[in-house]
């Protein structure tokens, strides 16, 4: 479990990143790079929340894969409209050419007056897909960071990050998106009048079958049980359920595995899909149910799927956002 924090993450030089791209594409070579990178072993903490005390129940939580976050201002407006006091984000760029070298997590946190914890899932070694390159004005990435975040309307207690180790597919076989890194979960304890609970933003592997994601979820839950014994837990994000399984999210063993450990799932109407065509992902007929909350020890009320279109009808992401209401402890 990574608990080291900084106000800004160290940025590997352009020369170093060019060297990463030329490295032999093996797990051993990848892990040698990861082990010496401070960036990949530190959590960035920023922003200033308006509330210093506990968050009162009921409280709304939003989870959203923002697909790089091309439109931070409009995305913040969609999140503000939910009334969420906790926000779990994935696929958040930081210093990438395709998103104008900006730090959209920090921008959204500032717009919502929230504190944030941000972790680098991948250092991108290229500019992305052909579609993403259409948004690039530069031919380089200032940082090349891509990651997950947890935002809160109160101070985050004991922020942490966990790597969900797999087979390093984006380094060994990354195609047009070669990357250093692995999927991760980032979280913290959230204080309430009834005591603390653990909120976790995660993103499971897309380039894999269900058994791979089940193992990632199992290892995450086991690590949380060791670090936070007895505390209620809310995990949320893009679980990529149904990927490489014909879109059948019920084929995912992670649901039975987590249920056996006391978790219940929430993701809006069971027949409601959470993906849509976007400016980057142009698949008009592909609809999947990827996005979920898994809760234990919490009383969850309504969960919803909320469309990710701005007022003009432009998609802000290839995912709709999901919300749930935490009514209290069980």
């Amino acid at each position: 479990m990574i608990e080291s924090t900084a106000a800004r993450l160290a940025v590997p030089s352009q020369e170093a990143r060019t060297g990463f791209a030329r490295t032999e594409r093996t797990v051993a070579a990848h892990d040698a790079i990861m082990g010496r990178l401070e960036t990949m072993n530190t959590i960035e903490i920023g922003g200033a929340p308006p509330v210093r005390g506990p968050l009162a129940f009921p409280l709304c939580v939003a989870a959203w894969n923002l697909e790089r976050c091309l439109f931070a201002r409009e995305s913040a407006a969609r999140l503000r409209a939910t009334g969420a006091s906790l926000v779990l984000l994935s696929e958040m760029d930081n210093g990438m050419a395709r998103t104008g070298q900006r730090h959209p997590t920090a921008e959204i946190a500032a717009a919502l007056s929230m504190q944030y914890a941000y972790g680098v899932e991948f250092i991108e070694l290229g500019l992305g897909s052909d579609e993403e390159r259409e948004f690039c004005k530069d031919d380089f990435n200032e940082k090349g960071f891509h990651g997950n975040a947890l935002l809160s309307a109160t101070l985050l207690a004991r922020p942490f990050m966990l790597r969900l180790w797999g087979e390093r597919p984006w380094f060994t076989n990354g195609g047009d998106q070669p990357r250093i890194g692995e999927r991760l979960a980032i979280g913290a304890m959230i204080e309430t009048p009834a005591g603390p609970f653990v909120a976790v933003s995660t993103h499971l592997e897309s380039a894999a079958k269900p058994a791979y994601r089940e193992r990632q979820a199992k290892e995450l839950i086991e690590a949380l049980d060791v670090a936070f014994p007895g505390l209620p837990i809310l995990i949320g994000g893009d679980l990529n359920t149904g990927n490489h399984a014909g879109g059948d999210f019920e084929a995912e063993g992670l649901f039975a595995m987590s249920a056996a450990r006391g978790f219940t799932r929430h993701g809006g109407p069971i027949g409601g899909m959470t993906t849509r065509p976007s400016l980057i992902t142009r698949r008009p007929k592909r609809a999947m149910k990827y996005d979920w909350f898994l809760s234990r020890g919490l009383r969850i009320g309504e969960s919803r799927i909320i469309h990710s279109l701005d007022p003009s009808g432009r998609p802000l992401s290839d995912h709709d956002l999901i919300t749930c209401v935490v009514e209290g402890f069980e």
Side-chain angles (χ1 to χ4, degrees):
M1 181 171 285
I2 297 166
E3 297 184 271
S4 176
T5 64
R8 284 290 179 270
L9 297 176
V11 181
S13 68
Q14 294 284 355
E15 181 182 13
R17 281 178 271 155
T18 299
F20 300 161
R22 294 172 178 166
T23 300
E24 181 185 12
R25 296 304 176 89
T26 64
V27 171
H30 172 276
D31 290 359
I33 294 170
M34 283 281 287
R36 65 177 184 263
L37 280 179
E38 178 185 345
T39 308
M40 308 301 277
N41 295 281
T42 306
I43 306 162
E44 180 174 304
I45 303 294
V51 178
R52 298 283 166 167
L55 292 182
F57 296 124
L59 63 91
C60 179
V61 184
W64 199 0
N65 178 326
L66 266 171
E67 194 188 26
R68 319 326 187 200
C69 198
L70 292 170
F71 310 107
R73 180 174 58 85
E74 294 86 349
S75 298
R78 293 296 293 150
L79 288 164
R80 186 182 300 109
T82 70
S85 51
L86 288 175
V87 175
L88 319 178
L89 299 178
S90 52
E91 290 199 14
M92 298 299 291
D93 276 359
N94 179 359
M96 290 288 299
R98 64 196 176 200
T99 42
Q101 314 289 11
R102 297 177 296 103
H103 190 349
T105 297
E107 293 176 24
I108 290 175
L112 300 179
S113 298
M114 288 184 166
Q115 186 173 54
Y116 71 86
Y118 175 82
V120 177
E121 189 172 64
F122 298 112
I123 295 178
E124 301 264 359
L125 303 179
L127 299 178
S129 67
D130 289 343
E131 292 81 6
E132 289 167 330
R133 288 170 181 263
E134 294 175 16
F135 295 93
C136 296
K137 295 182 179 178
D138 299 324
D139 61 358
F140 66 94
N141 298 318
E142 288 184 356
K143 299 177 183 176
F145 296 167
H146 187 63
N148 295 355
L150 170 65
L151 284 64
S152 173
T154 192
L155 291 173
L156 298 167
R158 196 181 160 188
F160 64 88
M161 183 166 67
L162 287 163
R163 296 257 168 221
L164 307 179
W165 291 106
E167 299 169 7
R168 293 53 156 188
W170 295 96
F171 182 71
T172 58
N173 187 28
D176 62 358
Q177 298 183 63
R179 307 167 179 174
I180 293 287
E182 271 285 15
R183 302 297 182 180
L184 63 79
I186 190 163
M189 292 195 306
I190 305 299
E191 294 292 342
T192 78
F197 73 95
V198 181
V200 184
S201 172
T202 196
H203 188 193
L204 302 186
E205 185 53 63
S206 59
K209 294 185 176 181
Y212 193 112
R213 290 185 286 274
E214 180 182 352
R215 178 174 54 78
Q216 288 183 315
K218 179 176 179 288
E219 291 176 358
L220 170 58
I221 290 170
E222 289 175 347
L224 294 173
D225 284 345
V226 170
F228 304 98
L231 287 188
I233 297 172
L234 181 68
I235 300 168
D238 176 5
L239 305 190
N240 269 303
T241 44
N243 226 326
H244 297 279
D248 181 10
F249 60 85
E250 296 291 14
E252 299 283 339
L254 69 87
F255 290 130
M257 177 279 299
S258 59
R261 288 160 174 78
F263 285 83
T264 56
R265 71 181 186 184
H266 316 272
I270 197 66
M273 300 297 104
T274 62
T275 66
R276 64 170 55 248
S278 72
L279 301 185
I280 293 174
T281 304
R282 302 164 187 175
R283 298 171 181 161
K285 295 183 179 180
R286 187 172 185 253
M288 307 283 276
K289 193 172 183 67
Y290 283 164
D291 304 274
W292 301 88
F293 296 103
L294 302 175
S295 71
R296 185 176 69 191
L298 296 167
R299 191 169 69 254
I300 304 297
E302 182 184 28
S303 64
R304 301 174 60 201
I305 301 168
I306 299 174
H307 74 76
S308 58
L309 304 177
D310 72 9
S312 72
R314 178 181 61 182
L316 302 175
S317 171
D318 64 334
H319 287 243
D320 287 336
L321 69 98
I322 60 171
T323 64
C324 72
V325 175
V326 181
E327 297 178 340
F329 289 0
E330 290 185 332

